[in-house]
Amino acid sequence: MNAPWLSLIGLGEDGADALSPAARALIAQASLLVGGARHLAMIDAPAERLQWPSPLTDALPRILAQRGRPTVVLASGDPFFYGVGDLIARHVAHDEIFCIPAPSAFSLAAARLKWSQQDCALLSLHGRAFERVTPHLQPRAKIIALSWDETTPARLARHLAARGMGASRLHVLERLGGPHERLRHACADAFALDDIAPLNTIGVEVEADGDAPVIPLAPGLPDEWFEHDGQLTKRDIRAVTLSALAPRKGELLWDVGAGAGSIAIEWMLSDPSNRAIAIERDAARAARIARNALALGVPDLRVVNGEAPPALAELETPQTIFIGGGADAATLAATWDALPRFGRIVINAVTIETQSLLADAFREKGGELLHLQIAHARPIGRFHTFDPAMAVTQWRAVKR
């Protein structure tokens, strides 16, 4: 077992004054201090200093070259809560790291607002796409979010108001834990706070109008929420398809022939850790998928503009594959080969030719073959009748 040579020390707004004797001793013994300009300015120590570059990963060679010599990385609050700890732990053995955290901004904000952290959505809008907040905007939800800068609270207020949530209450907590700490409140539709410190955290109590576009927790978003040209897995079939795909935490989906991207988007909405790659040969549709992903709160959806199977060759191995854009024999073979053992595949077909292909796959590889028929009521004179949509044949299988 290696002795820890790399210490991660959390700092609050009080800086060195709030450090424990153990943290002070580690800093005093360090040959190298690593941190942001603000953190390094808080510390009076003779060690060599390295300010974080952009991107942060550019500092890794210098840090790793220190192996065996006492090194301290300074971080805000808890280094392992939306901090630099994860980056370090991916490159340094765990038994070579020692961590002394300070209270995180989330802990301090919850304490000031008297909220239980376990009942809150805890997000970072710092260094991450702002749109990731959208799926968390649920009626009566409480959110604590780290801001990117002083503009984030007003931007979030505008976003809430635009989505029919203007009555939501925002709490802006500035310079938490320091002598200049400040807490102010405002409703989203009347937000007028100014002179906000760049270092701030936002608490949100969500209040939604009855017709606000709240993203549901079950699959099957309304079709009209997607920008599309008709190439869209419709709502009812989409809900069945997502159930068949059976998302699991942290998995990667290939959505082949993605159309409007609805399957990939709802896959990612099922859990924040889920990822998807949407493969679409039409450039206009590929751009449309990216816009839909942004609007519906999954901006990290990767869109590949290319035709399968060639476009699949260099992609990361998925756990699950969906084909909804007209599978052919070559694409089916390539996707099946790409799946690892116990990987899952779901293919929807509406043409006789593709249905025949799925029947052959069912005979050769097993799984389930379903015939799905949806009909919606429409008026006929003074009465109504059911108008059937195009039937869908679905093959779903697990690779053994």
Side-chain angles (χ1 to χ4, degrees), residues 3 90 184 200 219 224 229 295 382 395:
R90 281 187 266 128
R184 292 183 287 171
N200 70 84
E224 59 268 22
D229 60 1
R382 295 183 297 109
W395 177 58

Side-chain angles (χ1 to χ4, degrees), residues 227-250:
E227 181 187 345
H228 65 91
D229 60 1
Q231 291 299 309
L232 174 75
T233 303
K234 299 301 190 293
R235 179 178 189 170
D236 302 295
I237 297 297
R238 192 181 337 122
V240 174
T241 300
L242 264 295
S243 175
L245 288 167
R248 301 172 185 172
K249 190 176 183 66

Side-chain angles (χ1 to χ4, degrees), residues 15 29 37 46 51 65 87 117 124 135 148 150 165 185 204 207 251 258 261 301 303 308 323 340 375 382 385 389 398:
Q29 298 165 9
Q51 184 175 321
L87 173 66
Q117 285 190 73
S124 177
W148 176 265
E150 67 274 14
M165 302 176 186
H185 319 272
V204 184
E207 293 292 338
E251 289 189 325
L301 171 62
V303 182
I323 306 177
R382 295 183 297 109
T385 188
V398 177

Side-chain angles (χ1 to χ4, degrees), residues 5-187:
W5 58 271
L6 181 58
S7 300
L8 306 184
I9 296 179
L11 289 171
E13 282 298 292
D14 286 337
D17 292 342
L19 290 176
S20 67
R24 292 172 184 272
L26 289 168
I27 290 171
Q29 298 165 9
S31 61
L32 177 68
L33 286 179
V34 184
R38 185 172 65 90
H39 294 141
L40 292 172
M42 294 176 176
I43 301 299
D44 181 15
E48 181 185 353
R49 292 164 180 248
L50 173 63
Q51 184 175 321
W52 285 116
S54 181
L56 297 182
T57 50
D58 287 352
L60 288 173
R62 179 71 181 88
I63 294 172
L64 296 176
Q66 284 284 115
R67 179 169 273 113
R69 286 177 286 174
T71 303
V72 169
V73 172
L74 305 171
S76 294
D78 185 346
F80 285 99
F81 204 158
Y82 287 115
V84 74
D86 178 63
L87 173 66
I88 297 295
R90 281 187 266 128
H91 295 87
V92 179
H94 292 191
D95 57 0
E96 297 180 50
I97 300 171
F98 182 70
C99 181
I100 303 178
S104 69
F106 298 107
S107 296
L108 293 172
R112 302 299 185 268
L113 296 171
K114 311 304 183 290
W115 292 357
S116 295
Q117 285 190 73
Q118 69 269 17
D119 297 329
C120 300
L122 306 178
L123 310 176
S124 177
L125 303 179
H126 184 84
R128 293 168 173 81
F130 172 85
E131 291 78 9
R132 294 179 66 178
V133 73
T134 301
H136 297 279
L137 301 181
Q138 301 288 325
R140 297 169 297 282
K142 290 182 177 178
I143 300 169
I144 301 177
L146 306 181
S147 283
W148 176 265
D149 58 21
E150 67 274 14
T151 68
T152 308
R155 183 180 182 186
L156 182 53
R158 291 193 299 271
H159 188 63
L160 286 159
R163 296 186 66 84
M165 302 176 186
S168 299
R169 188 163 173 78
L170 282 80
H171 311 271
V172 181
L173 305 101
E174 304 165 76
R175 304 184 189 92
L176 279 169
H180 303 294
E181 179 178 307
R182 180 168 61 174
L183 168 59
R184 292 183 287 171
H185 319 272
C187 284

